[in-house]
Amino acid sequence: MQAMAKAADLDELRARKRFEPGAVEPALMRQWLDSGLFHPAPEGDASENYSIAIPPPNITGGLHMGHALNGTIQDALIRFQRMSGRRTRWIFGTDHASIATQRQVEKELISLGTSREELGREGFLERTWSWRERYGATIVEQYKRLGASCDYGDERFTMDAAYAQAVSLVFVELFERGYIHRDHYMVNWDPGSGSAISDLEVEEREETDTLYRIAYPLADGSGEIVVATVRPETMLADSAIAVNPGDERYAALVGREAILPLVGRRLPVIADEYVKTDFGSGALKVTPGHDPNDFEIGRRHGLEQHSVIGEDGRMTAEAGEGFAGLTVLEARAAVVAGLERDGALRGSEPYTHSVPYSHRSGERIEPLISLQWFMRMDELAAPAIAAVRDGRVRFHPERWASVYLDWMENIRPWCVSRQLWWGHRLPVYYCDACEETYVAREPPASCGACRGPLRQDDDVLDTWFSSALWPFATLGWPERTDALRAFYPTDVVVTGRDIIFLWVARMIMMGIEFAGAIPFSDVYVHTVIQAPDGRRMSKSLGTGIDPLVEIDRSGADAVRFGMLAMSSTQDVRYSVEKIEQGERLANKLFNAARFVILGIGERGGAAAPRPSAIEDRWILSRLGRFEAELDERIVAYDFPRVALTLYDFVYGELCDWYIELVKTRLGDPDLDATLRHVLRRTLMLAHPVMPFVTEELWRYVRVDGEGLLAGATREAAELALDEEAEAALGRVMSATQAIRNWREQVAVKPGVALSARIEAAGYEQETGPLLARIARLSLDGDGDAIAVAHVAIPGGAVAILEGVDLGAHSERQARERDRLQAEIDRLRAKLANDAFVRNAPPAVVEGERAKLAALEAELEELR
RNA sequence: GGGCGCGUAGCUCAGCGGGAGAGCGCUCGCUUCACACGCGAGAGGUCGCUGGUUCGAAACCAGCCGUGCCCACCA
């Protein structure tokens, strides 16, 4: 039952000389979506099915290069597995991205002349939801442009009602298990977003500030202690002066008091191991309210906590008259001026150090003491560490495992509360009357103790708290749904290294703790694509390249090919050339298929191969190798070689050789069958990389009853190599190249037939005539004619018999002889080396001997 | 301060123990009846430097130089 191509279809195809992606992509995507292939029924269990949970894109942005790379890799895996016959689901959805989204909406409000505060919490949330309705779909449509075969029919959002239920359940359970608690603690305060942020959202930047040395007089008037600081404004909140307990210079001062300049407060001199004797003066001003280290020292020594910098980044009333209300920088200048006036400054010098900045707002972090919710991580980390250590979770490349382990083994508490409005509001309720706290999904109507009204905590959770539940909350957890059974655990998570801690580690911990299984067995950490000049790709730097523009220009298949070809285990620069390589490959595939399809015409032809010539046996053997290699590369996450292998096969074997070799045989039914088979297999193999062009061509070669290529199953073929055909064709190919090269050298046009005689072994039967045809040799001349030239080919030479002007020939032949002789000398020396023959593996030695013999035969023919 | 990468053809990158590779760019030649987004033939590299291991090193080891990233509480 073979489909016969319709004459009208063929005429249409004949007119299409180029593959035009823009003209076919939307319709093909439509067909895929309508087919339901991307939306599998939740049947079977996760061990037999294949699933990936997409790193949910933020609703704030458009598709950037990172998405394009990340999405292409996942889609290649998903399509490959789907075509291998597995029930396959690519879990899809978007992330509410608390801070990023809130900032975006706030920016819009300001441009409209209003503000978050003016709208109030309810109004703001309403506004943000409608913002999400307007813009949230953008990124989804853009994933479709890429050809991503996500399950769009079951799209999730991290603030869906059901998802929110899962989030609050997890929070409450963690609280009840004692992992979550509330505390006054030093946090990274981001004045830009008006919220605490986690350690992972802080980035350090090198900066040169001024290091001031300030004299603190001793209370008894017997002298002074000099301390050094880059933040003199924080001295207003000093609680002590600390020295190292072993520092003899200060031993006598410990226990006495100093006077804080400008303020007049008496500060105890304390001894603490933290203080380095060899830094500065060896004495440290201790500011528990505004420095993380000092905070710890303060806890150890029971020091007072003063707060002189507020959450708005300005000096508080406690900073005192003359300072309150100033910005931090203004206060710094004022403090320095005051110290100078009072003669307390003992010097200053430029000082380069790292300064914390908010990754979110870009503003400088203010370490502040704040009342926040913290999550203890060490116990949750233990099983997640074990899962990686014993190989139940594997990182690719492996080195990321140790990065993960290092972080996990030194994991610190996670500040999960954010002073924002957009996000999952904490399921925490307070009674202001009697100070009771309730942590519950469904709080009582009023305080159980005093019947007073309850007030919900204003804070929301860190976005990554909900992201951590993504692989199972998307599948309906905590309900025991069919989807959960069918697709959890997923198989792999594909991501950039920047979110290994933020996301991957937390998914593993939460998956183990709540879903009862590690969420995926493999973590593929892909490259980061940089701008062509090596800088970071970013909108603000103006270095971003829009993948959608690239898709418009070159087609989605080209971009996908380029992404895979560029991907690497190290960072790489964006290369348009790789996209263009993909564009050419798509076009090449299109035209090769067009040639085959039009060549077969309306004859139909069986889909099973019927090799009747040596080149048929050759291409089938090469196809087998190609399949095996492609399968191997893709499951090894070696995407650049997936792309390269595909390119090499299509260009280097299928088009440049096979199709050229069989052109004269068109019309032979055996050839039709073989061509059709090879083309079908090639389309199947290329489909995970280039789904559009292959799907477009598939309709011409599919048999009756077959559906879309995206849904086709490629049964794994047994690798049946035909070594004999490969060796024979290998000789023909080398010989052809040698003869073409020779023609070029002696300026004989490619079209001119040369009268010749093959004086070499290995060209018996079909192979000789094949060589003659492809290299344009005429073998039926006078068998005894005298050769005017010899061209070395594997196994001997081709004697050229007549009709050639050999102006450049002898020079060229001499060069060829020299080359062969040099190679022969090298091999002889090697084989004469006793140590080599004795120590090298016998197979290697044997190989070298064979090489030598072949080269000697070639040289002999040239004499 | 600790850790992880990377330095190979003009450019972007593969190769990671047995004859230096790809794509682009460059040169030359082709109206070869699928494709000029094509076909064919070429030129181009002391594989960062120095030492070591080995019969054999671009590949393994050590040191150095250059470069990128991650982690880290020295004012």
Side-chain angles (χ1 to χ4, degrees):
Chain A
M1 289 298 290
Q2 281 75 45
M4 310 251 277
K6 302 284 183 296
D9 283 349
L10 294 179
D11 286 343
E12 185 241 316
L13 181 63
R14 189 170 289 117
R16 292 165 65 186
K17 295 205 165 186
R18 270 183 218 156
F19 176 59
E20 282 167 32
V24 297
E25 284 174 2
L28 290 169
M29 190 67 201
R30 192 70 260 154
Q31 287 180 45
W32 288 329
L33 292 172
D34 291 346
S35 73
L37 280 168
F38 302 168
H39 183 58
E43 289 162 8
D45 63 61
S47 63
E48 57 182 324
N49 297 336
Y50 186 86
S51 62
I52 300 178
I54 197 169
N58 293 351
I59 51 173
T60 50
L63 194 80
H64 61 237
M65 207 49 80
H67 294 125
L69 172 70
N70 181 259
T72 299
I73 288 172
Q74 290 170 81
D75 196 46
L77 290 168
I78 286 278
R79 286 183 186 267
F80 173 79
Q81 294 290 348
R82 188 184 289 123
M83 292 183 78
S84 301
R86 296 177 75 177
R87 185 176 294 105
T88 301
R89 174 154 172 201
W90 188 0
I91 301 161
F92 183 69
T94 52
D95 194 286
H96 68 283
S98 174
I99 292 189
T101 305
Q102 175 155 335
R103 284 175 63 83
Q104 201 110 342
V105 174
E106 280 191 79
K107 226 189 285 176
E108 190 185 65
L109 291 177
I110 286 163
S111 75
L112 293 171
T114 177
S115 70
R116 164 164 74 110
E117 289 74 16
E118 209 165 298
L119 255 63
R121 187 163 191 148
E122 290 306 309
F124 178 77
L125 289 179
E126 207 171 297
R127 175 109 203 165
T128 308
W129 274 108
S130 74
W131 189 92
R132 187 240 162 188
E133 293 309 316
R134 252 183 306 153
Y135 299 112
T138 310
I139 188 91
V140 179
E141 292 312 306
Q142 293 176 339
Y143 267 89
K144 292 179 186 168
R145 291 290 315 280
L146 192 63
S149 62
C150 308
D151 187 354
Y152 302 99
D154 214 344
E155 182 185 333
R156 294 305 152 94
F157 180 54
T158 53
M159 274 174 60
D160 285 341
Y163 202 107
Q165 284 294 309
V167 170
S168 58
L169 173 66
V170 166
F171 185 92
V172 171
E173 294 230 346
L174 286 169
F175 175 81
E176 285 170 357
R177 293 177 203 178
Y179 292 122
I180 286 183
H181 65 102
R182 196 183 193 209
D183 196 5
H184 282 279
Y185 208 84
M186 176 73 48
V187 297
N188 307 299
W189 187 266
D190 174 12
S193 57
S195 175
I197 60 176
S198 76
D199 296 338
L200 290 173
E201 292 163 305
V202 175
E203 64 183 50
E204 303 283 335
R205 293 187 202 161
E206 284 268 289
E207 264 183 19
T208 301
D209 281 325
T210 305
L211 183 70
Y212 296 94
R213 285 199 301 282
I214 306 167
Y216 288 32
L218 291 168
D220 59 14
S222 66
E224 61 184 33
I225 297 186
V226 175
V227 300
T229 181
V230 288
R231 301 202 60 191
E233 69 280 10
T234 65
M235 69 175 287
L236 302 171
D238 280 0
S239 298
I241 289 178
V243 298
N244 190 283
D247 194 336
E248 286 167 15
R249 292 171 296 174
Y250 297 109
L253 298 182
V254 173
R256 292 163 67 186
E257 286 182 322
I259 302 292
L260 180 59
L262 302 180
V263 177
R265 187 159 60 230
R266 296 172 85 93
L267 306 177
V269 178
I270 60 171
D272 193 284
E273 292 288 353
Y274 170 77
V275 183
K276 304 277 180 294
T277 55
D278 57 355
F279 189 91
S281 63
L284 173 69
K285 69 189 261 307
V286 183
T287 319
H290 297 293
D291 183 280
N293 303 310
D294 295 8
F295 178 79
E296 296 296 337
I297 296 174
R299 286 221 158 176
R300 284 198 285 274
H301 296 270
L303 301 176
E304 296 167 7
Q305 293 174 347
H306 301 281
S307 286
V308 296
I309 302 171
E311 296 183 346
D312 56 358
R314 289 175 176 273
M315 305 306 283
T316 63
E318 202 183 343
E321 209 171 325
F323 301 112
L326 299 182
T327 66
V328 166
L329 285 180
E330 289 165 351
R332 182 175 304 174
V335 166
V336 170
L339 291 170
E340 219 152 33
R341 184 195 60 220
D342 294 353
L345 216 51
R346 289 289 174 272
S348 67
E349 63 199 60
Y351 183 69
T352 303
H353 63 143
S354 61
V355 178
Y357 278 83
S358 165
H359 193 69
R360 299 289 154 205
S361 69
E363 292 202 22
R364 185 166 174 159
I365 293 295
E366 277 303 335
L368 294 181
I369 295 169
S370 176
L371 184 56
Q372 302 286 347
W373 288 88
F374 294 91
M375 182 166 160
R376 220 177 57 236
M377 303 303 292
D378 42 3
E379 283 132 301
L380 293 167
I385 289 170
V388 170
R389 278 211 182 287
D390 61 26
R392 280 174 292 142
V393 175
R394 291 176 299 273
F395 278 82
H396 312 268
E398 269 178 68
R399 68 187 134 91
W400 295 109
S402 63
V403 174
Y404 165 94
L405 288 170
D406 282 350
W407 186 75
M408 291 288 273
E409 280 160 2
N410 299 294
I411 199 161
R412 291 187 295 177
W414 176 13
C415 175
V416 293
S417 48
R418 295 288 181 277
Q419 288 64 57
L420 302 166
W421 287 351
W422 177 246
H424 293 279
R425 197 162 172 180
L426 302 194
V428 176
Y429 304 83
Y430 306 104
C431 171
D432 291 324
C434 66
E435 301 193 340
E436 243 350 273
T437 298
Y438 297 86
V439 177
R441 297 165 71 192
E442 316 251 329
S446 60
C447 177
C450 72
R451 323 288 297 163
L454 294 182
R455 171 179 61 81
Q456 186 171 6
D457 196 304
D458 283 329
D459 292 351
V460 300
L461 286 165
D462 182 356
T463 300
W464 296 103
F465 189 94
S466 59
S467 311
L469 319 182
W470 183 250
F472 51 91
T474 46
L475 297 173
W477 184 93
E479 302 300 320
R480 285 213 209 124
T481 61
D482 290 342
L484 199 60
R485 194 190 62 246
F487 301 115
Y488 189 91
T490 66
D491 288 82
V492 58
V493 65
V494 175
T495 182
R497 55 157 192 269
D498 50 330
I499 52 176
I500 290 175
F501 307 145
L502 286 164
W503 191 49
V504 176
R506 288 163 177 170
M507 280 193 290
I508 297 175
M509 290 188 274
M510 293 296 109
I512 292 172
E513 182 73 12
F514 288 96
I518 51 169
F520 33 72
S521 49
D522 292 82
V523 180
Y524 177 69
V525 181
H526 61 241
T527 189
V528 174
I529 297 182
Q530 302 167 327
D533 61 5
R535 287 189 295 169
R536 226 164 55 80
M537 247 195 214
S538 94
K539 209 180 263 177
S540 54
L541 285 174
T543 50
I545 294 175
D546 184 350
L548 296 170
V549 171
E550 303 293 273
I551 290 174
D552 285 340
R553 196 191 59 237
S554 301
D557 289 332
V559 170
R560 294 167 59 108
F561 178 92
M563 291 292 104
L564 297 182
M566 265 179 250
S567 83
S568 162
T569 56
Q570 61 165 316
D571 289 354
V572 289
R573 300 178 182 206
Y574 185 77
S575 119
V576 202
E577 290 80 9
K578 291 283 194 293
I579 306 284
E580 289 167 352
Q581 191 180 354
E583 192 178 352
R584 280 192 304 275
L585 177 59
N587 186 60
K588 190 75 175 175
L589 206 47
F590 181 80
N591 274 291
R594 183 166 154 263
F595 176 77
V596 169
I597 293 158
L598 295 173
I600 294 172
E602 293 179 71
R603 288 191 300 281
R610 295 212 298 257
S612 58
I614 185 122
E615 64 266 26
D616 300 335
R617 289 165 50 199
W618 174 80
I619 192 67
L620 292 173
S621 187
R622 300 302 302 174
L623 177 66
R625 277 188 203 276
F626 168 51
E627 294 200 33
E629 171 152 17
L630 211 59
D631 289 357
E632 193 183 311
R633 298 299 188 191
I634 201 158
V635 298
Y637 305 105
D638 187 354
F639 301 105
R641 266 184 290 189
V642 167
L644 208 63
T645 301
L646 174 62
Y647 184 92
D648 286 346
F649 178 76
V650 171
Y651 269 83
E653 321 228 19
L654 181 60
C655 293
D656 290 350
W657 290 103
Y658 187 63
I659 290 180
E660 293 302 326
L661 287 171
V662 301
K663 272 182 175 172
T664 55
R665 293 170 52 210
L666 282 179
D668 170 356
D670 287 345
L671 177 64
D672 283 356
T674 305
L675 270 174
R676 189 188 186 86
H677 169 79
V678 171
L679 177 58
R680 281 171 53 92
R681 287 308 271 200
T682 303
L683 294 178
M684 285 179 158
L685 291 158
H687 185 261
V689 177
M690 312 189 110
F692 290 103
V693 68
T694 50
E695 188 71 77
E696 172 67 10
L697 293 166
W698 181 249
R699 64 191 173 96
Y700 296 100
V701 292
R702 68 183 171 197
V703 299
D704 289 340
E706 273 184 331
L708 293 168
L709 177 56
T713 301
R714 179 175 65 89
E715 64 296 344
E718 233 169 86
L719 183 56
L721 297 180
D722 189 332
E723 308 274 5
E724 188 195 348
E726 289 201 29
L729 260 288
R731 284 191 295 272
V732 169
M733 287 158 70
S734 300
T736 303
Q737 282 165 332
I739 291 162
R740 282 175 180 162
N741 176 278
W742 182 84
R743 281 178 187 267
E744 192 86 13
Q745 295 296 329
V746 299
V748 175
K749 300 248 179 196
V752 174
L754 286 168
S755 182
R757 181 170 61 227
I758 296 174
E759 297 176 353
Y763 301 85
E764 297 76 21
Q765 297 168 351
E766 299 179 73
T767 321
L770 190 63
L771 172 61
R773 200 172 79 230
I774 204 80
R776 303 222 176 192
L777 302 177
S778 169
L779 298 179
D780 46 13
D782 178 358
D784 298 325
I786 295 178
V788 295
H790 280 96
V791 180
I793 63 172
V798 167
I800 308 296
L801 301 180
E802 60 174 18
V804 187
D805 171 15
L806 295 180
H809 170 61
S810 52
E811 185 197 339
R812 125 101 207 165
Q813 184 148 343
R815 271 203 333 203
E816 177 66 9
R817 254 192 249 117
D818 290 349
R819 187 190 68 83
L820 287 169
Q821 190 61 56
E823 195 64 13
I824 286 167
D825 291 346
R826 194 185 66 77
L827 285 172
R828 280 185 181 151
K830 195 170 185 180
L831 287 163
N833 179 351
D834 208 37
F836 170 72
V837 179
R838 210 174 38 229
N839 295 321
V844 172
V845 178
E846 211 30 65
E848 300 293 273
R849 287 209 176 100
K851 256 188 269 176
L852 178 59
L855 291 170
E856 283 171 339
E858 277 190 49
L859 184 61
E860 187 54 38
E861 287 299 329
L862 290 185
R863 293 209 181 275

